[in-house]
């Protein structure tokens, strides 16, 4: 008999990629603000924000691609590929030329 599931086991897995992207977007705003507060020129802060935004966008694209690849691998593990011509095994052959047995052919 399986053990009863606790509340922690019933929760869905956290979406860590979205969390990373949210923090990165927050940093794209926070870092230039801090730079301006510490006396760096506005142009330098804006260029820093643009650079961080570009890096964040590239990381987001790579994370999403990785998630799609992982989901594809999980789906293949759950439903393994069938054999050639969509046969599941040796017993799935139907309607062949040979009827079986040793009956003579005229």
């Amino acid at each position: 008999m399986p053990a009863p599931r606790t509340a922690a086991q019933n929760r869905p897995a956290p979406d860590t990629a979205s969390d990373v992207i949210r923090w990165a977007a927050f940093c794209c705003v926070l870092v230039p603000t801090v730079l301006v507060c510490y006396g760096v020129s506005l142009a330098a802060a804006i260029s820093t924000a643009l650079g961080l935004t570009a890096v964040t966008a590239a990381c987001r694209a790579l994370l999403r691609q990785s998630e799609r690849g992982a989901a594809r691998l999980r789906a293949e593990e759950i439903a393994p590929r069938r054999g050639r011509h969509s046969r599941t095994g040796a017993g799935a052959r139907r309607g062949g030329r040979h009827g079986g047995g040793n009956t003579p052919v005229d």
Side-chain angles (χ1 to χ4, degrees):
M1 181 170 182
R5 297 186 75 165
T6 63
Q9 292 173 333
N10 289 332
R11 278 185 280 157
D15 188 10
T16 55
S18 293
D19 290 342
V20 169
I21 298 303
R22 249 184 259 126
W23 278 105
F26 174 71
C27 290
C28 288
V29 174
L30 180 67
V31 169
T33 304
V34 170
L35 288 175
V36 168
C37 289
Y38 277 99
V40 176
S41 70
L42 187 60
I46 290 173
S47 65
T48 300
L50 291 175
L52 286 172
T53 303
V55 169
T56 300
C59 289
R60 179 179 187 266
L62 290 172
L63 279 169
R64 297 298 179 204
Q65 182 180 4
S66 175
E67 285 178 338
R68 284 192 302 268
R72 192 178 308 121
L73 283 175
R74 271 187 256 120
E76 286 179 359
E77 288 175 358
I78 292 171
R81 293 184 183 198
R82 292 163 53 161
R84 187 175 179 185
H85 302 294
S86 300
R87 292 183 184 145
T88 57
R93 299 174 190 226
R94 295 184 196 135
R97 289 176 46 185
H98 306 286
N102 291 328
T103 59
V105 178
D106 292 324

